[in-house]
Amino acid sequence: MSDLRELYQQLILDHNKNPRNFRVLDPADRFAEGYNPLCGDKVEVYLQLQGNRIKDIGFQGSGCAISKASASLMTETIKGKTLGETETHFKDFQAMLTDPSSNLDLDQMGKLFVFAGVRDYPTRIKCATLSWHALRAAINNVQTPITTER
Amino acid sequence: MNSPLDILTLQPPEAAVRPALPFDVRRVRADFPILGQQVQGQPLVYLDNGATAQKPRAVIDALSHYYTDQNANVHRGVHHLSQIATDVYEAARRKVATFINAASDREIIFVRGTTEGINLIAQTFGREQIGEGDEIIITEMEHHSNIVPWWMLCREKGAKLRVIPMNDRGELCMDTYQTLFSQHTKLVSIVHISNVLGTVNPVEEIVQIAHAHGVPVHIDGAQAVPHQRVDVRALGCEFYTFSGHKMFAPTGIGVLYGCETYLDTMPPYQGGGSMIQSVDFDNITYGNTPNKFEAGTPNIAGSIGLGAAIDYLNSIDFDGAAKYETNLLEYAHDALRDVPDLKLIGTAERKVGVLSFTLSDIHPHDVGTILDQAGVAVRAGHHCAQPIMKHYDIPAATRASLAFYNTREDIDALVSGLHSVRKIFG
């Protein structure tokens, strides 16, 4: 069960139970939906921008503990960040989960490092990255819902 | 060195005539090599049989034997191997016909699986017989494979789906069913046993009522054939579809049973080799049933594997296996009811070994991952039956689905895994 504790860390369980920024932003400058058709996980991401900066962010949706906690911690991480910084976070997060050789700056990852254990559960990686893909779609003003499958 | 004749006689069908010993789960488990393996350092507890069943040694050996000793294309060539391949392919068709008590092996069409079987009916019978304003009756508990092909046909033709609702136990509302018929009803297409709820639908009664209205019936038997004997003539349905892989045969092979009088008047499915009588650029004549529905080189090995699975089921006292499974289901129901905050989805009076449930507000994916660490394989998600999820207002469910090789120890491992889930999620 030690492996499972690596996956379901207290921080993840906490954000699953009490997700932060779990709300609709109205009005929102940007909005996008993400969908995992294989499991039915759904996430909606709302953004308010101030110039190049994410002034506020909210999300809604339903999914497993990993996807919900990931969305919650994502909103905490990128609130107030510039779009450039957000893109760096996205890339680092994805590299942490999918590229074993990635040389990440752990301090830079901050709380997001709590998801490093997901790498050992290939079936769950898309749960963790769904909200990040939706965030990117919102930033890029993608109108149609994005999915984890091609 | 075997002579070609020996190769023919080395076939396993003799197994079918050997009187079956009374069902014994320990002996049967030894027939399934994969059940001996460890997952995550724990003995495998395979409870995802609704998705696909494991294969007995006899099926694996039949595939190996075919490719080692018999491989050639069928219905072509005059050479030895082609004749052998054709014989074993057609022998498999006869085994299927006997297995489901079809009147003739001409009524057995080999397809990829239940999904292709249903699409075949929609694309042939459906496209010819169903037009604007017509109606197709399905149920609220269909797998997507018995919704989407009809929905696509309705879109194309301007026809409509009428849906038999179900109650909260997961049983069809038969009173409503009676009221759904109109002069426009052209087909009833219903699931025999629900892949999520385990409900055994009253298909005999459903067929009788449809016939009273002069409407033909298709039954999706994907989840029925692994659990009980099916007699298509007793059911009286015009069409019956099922997949090999859910009944211990390989993937990629399935069966569409069609009543001969229907098949003979239906247009072909795909065009190509094997399904024609003659071809020139001005005129093409199609072959007869079943060939006209089997264009191209079929899944020969798959059909032989399916035949071997049928022989295997006949050799183990399949009726005894079904009884054993019913007992195991009762044990599993009682065991799951003792897990706090667990809610069973599907509590029909007549059901088979399918146990879908929610556990508090813990998402099924998390349940599935944690169970996997205990070596317990279950399915988590919407099970390709989103209307059922909608009925119970849940995004997803966890499903443990049984086969006759499962044991009480398997159920105990599931329950103990569920206690671990609750512990982690506090």
Side-chain angles (χ1 to χ4, degrees):
Chain A
M1 285 294 173
S2 61
D3 290 341
L4 282 171
R5 267 187 229 115
E6 186 69 25
L7 181 65
Y8 291 106
Q9 296 193 37
Q10 213 47 52
L11 189 62
I12 290 180
L13 293 173
D14 171 44
H15 275 258
N16 171 53
K17 213 162 192 173
N18 309 296
R20 322 295 200 267
N21 303 304
F22 191 68
R23 61 179 193 276
V24 175
L25 294 190
D26 187 21
D29 299 316
R30 300 284 168 84
F31 162 78
E33 284 173 88
Y35 188 52
N36 184 342
L38 292 186
C39 59
D41 285 355
K42 258 189 273 190
V43 65
E44 296 166 358
V45 175
Y46 302 82
L47 297 178
Q48 281 174 356
L49 300 177
Q50 196 165 48
N52 193 29
R53 205 168 280 280
I54 293 172
K55 195 180 108 200
D56 201 2
I57 177 167
F59 83 101
Q60 292 277 283
S62 66
C64 61
I66 306 296
S67 77
K68 214 165 186 182
S70 177
S72 174
L73 277 155
M74 174 186 82
T75 62
E76 271 200 335
T77 306
I78 63 134
K79 199 190 270 191
K81 297 272 164 65
T82 66
L83 297 184
E85 287 164 340
T86 302
E87 181 65 14
T88 305
H89 276 302
F90 172 86
K91 288 197 167 132
D92 287 350
F93 189 72
Q94 198 170 36
M96 178 175 76
L97 294 187
T98 58
D99 181 6
S101 64
S102 61
N103 210 353
L104 293 168
D105 180 346
L106 298 188
D107 290 339
Q108 194 73 21
M109 291 302 291
K111 284 181 180 176
L112 295 180
F113 188 66
V114 78
F115 292 101
V118 178
R119 191 164 67 192
D120 299 328
Y121 298 81
T123 58
R124 307 302 302 277
I125 289 170
K126 283 173 180 171
C127 306
T129 56
L130 177 65
S131 56
W132 284 89
H133 284 286
L135 167 67
R136 212 189 201 192
I139 289 170
N140 294 330
N141 233 340
V142 176
Q143 302 292 331
T144 49
I146 57 117
T147 93
T148 52
E149 306 305 304
R150 266 178 288 176
Chain B
M1 184 88 173
N2 294 326
S3 78
L5 202 65
D6 286 339
I7 291 170
L8 261 181
T9 52
L10 278 174
Q11 276 311 294
E14 296 81 43
V17 291
R18 218 188 300 134
L21 294 166
F23 180 78
D24 173 357
V25 68
R26 297 291 153 199
R27 196 176 56 234
V28 160
R29 280 183 72 82
D31 296 333
F32 290 80
I34 208 168
L35 297 180
Q37 77 171 249
Q38 300 227 321
V39 169
Q40 323 281 16
Q42 321 251 16
L44 168 65
V45 174
Y46 189 76
L47 295 172
D48 195 18
N49 295 286
T52 197
Q54 298 302 347
K55 319 306 174 199
R57 171 63 69 193
V59 168
I60 300 165
D61 286 350
L63 294 182
S64 171
H65 175 49
Y66 169 71
Y67 281 126
T68 308
D69 301 314
Q70 305 171 317
N71 178 60
N73 211 331
V74 293
H75 302 147
R76 325 250 200 283
V78 291
H79 57 80
H80 276 315
L81 287 181
S82 173
Q83 189 55 49
I84 289 168
T86 305
D87 288 348
V88 290
Y89 179 65
E90 291 303 330
R93 197 191 302 279
R94 285 193 296 277
K95 284 179 196 177
V96 173
T98 309
F99 183 61
I100 60 170
N101 195 29
S104 152
D105 58 351
R106 292 185 67 234
E107 299 183 316
I108 304 303
I109 296 158
F110 284 126
V111 289
R112 273 193 299 142
T114 311
T115 299
E116 192 182 33
I118 299 173
N119 277 278
L120 191 159
I121 307 169
Q123 292 302 313
T124 58
F125 170 84
R127 288 181 90 178
E128 196 167 79
Q129 299 294 325
I130 293 166
E132 199 176 341
D134 285 341
E135 294 173 351
I136 301 167
I137 296 178
I138 61 173
T139 80
E140 193 181 354
M141 64 171 83
E142 298 306 327
H143 186 280
H144 292 167
S145 63
N146 199 24
I147 301 173
V148 184
W150 306 119
W151 187 88
M152 289 165 76
L153 181 70
C154 287
R155 287 270 289 207
E156 181 188 323
K157 297 287 188 176
K160 262 196 309 201
L161 288 180
R162 307 295 307 268
V163 181
I164 313 171
M166 64 180 192
N167 63 24
D168 290 346
R169 294 159 59 96
E171 293 160 330
L172 293 178
C173 304
M174 292 297 283
D175 292 345
T176 314
Y177 169 54
Q178 308 248 24
T179 68
L180 295 179
F181 285 92
S182 76
Q183 64 196 64
H184 304 294
T185 312
K186 287 291 154 71
L187 181 72
V188 172
S189 185
I190 45 143
V191 67
H192 194 163
I193 293 180
S194 161
N195 70 313
V196 179
L197 309 164
T199 309
V200 182
N201 284 317
V203 282
E204 297 89 344
E205 193 186 341
I206 287 169
V207 170
Q208 277 165 19
I209 292 168
H211 285 181
H213 289 88
V215 176
V217 180
H218 158 251
I219 300 173
D220 164 2
Q223 298 290 340
V225 284
H227 295 292
Q228 58 182 51
R229 246 174 225 291
V230 168
D231 180 335
V232 289
R233 275 191 285 176
L235 294 176
C237 57
E238 281 70 20
F239 301 106
Y240 197 95
T241 48
F242 59 96
S243 300
H245 73 95
K246 294 190 200 290
M247 54 170 286
F248 318 103
T251 50
I253 188 73
V255 170
L256 161 64
Y257 157 81
C259 172
E260 215 168 342
T261 48
Y262 271 78
L263 294 180
D264 283 346
T265 56
M266 278 156 51
Y269 176 43
Q270 295 176 324
S274 290
M275 54 74 74
I276 47 84
Q277 237 153 35
S278 70
V279 174
D280 73 40
F281 294 117
D282 296 320
N283 193 37
I284 291 175
T285 49
Y286 303 132
N288 292 324
T289 311
N291 298 351
K292 79 172 169 189
F293 299 106
E294 293 183 0
T297 297
N299 183 354
I300 307 166
S303 70
I304 289 163
L306 177 57
I310 290 171
D311 289 340
Y312 178 76
L313 291 177
N314 288 329
S315 76
I316 61 156
D317 173 19
F318 190 35
D319 297 326
K323 281 194 200 96
Y324 168 83
E325 234 185 277
T326 306
N327 282 331
L328 188 61
L329 173 64
E330 273 169 34
Y331 179 81
H333 262 166
D334 290 346
L336 287 182
R337 282 202 180 97
D338 285 344
V339 178
D341 304 319
L342 184 143
K343 188 169 168 259
L344 278 170
I345 307 292
T347 49
E349 196 71 39
R350 285 178 68 201
K351 69 173 280 187
V352 296
V354 177
L355 299 127
S356 291
F357 58 85
T358 57
L359 185 62
S360 172
D361 59 352
I362 307 167
H363 196 280
H365 283 173
D366 298 314
V367 176
T369 294
I370 295 166
L371 289 178
D372 181 52
Q373 291 302 302
V376 179
V378 295
R379 173 96 187 263
H382 54 57
H383 313 289
C384 295
Q386 287 178 351
I388 298 180
M389 300 297 115
K390 200 174 160 192
H391 180 103
Y392 292 101
D393 195 24
I394 49 175
T398 307
R399 179 187 72 182
S401 48
L402 311 179
F404 52 66
Y405 46 59
N406 288 123
T407 61
R408 292 188 172 200
E409 289 74 30
D410 290 347
I411 306 299
D412 296 343
L414 168 67
V415 168
S416 134
L418 291 173
H419 285 302
S420 302
V421 174
R422 295 190 69 246
K423 210 165 152 195
I424 286 171
F425 276 79

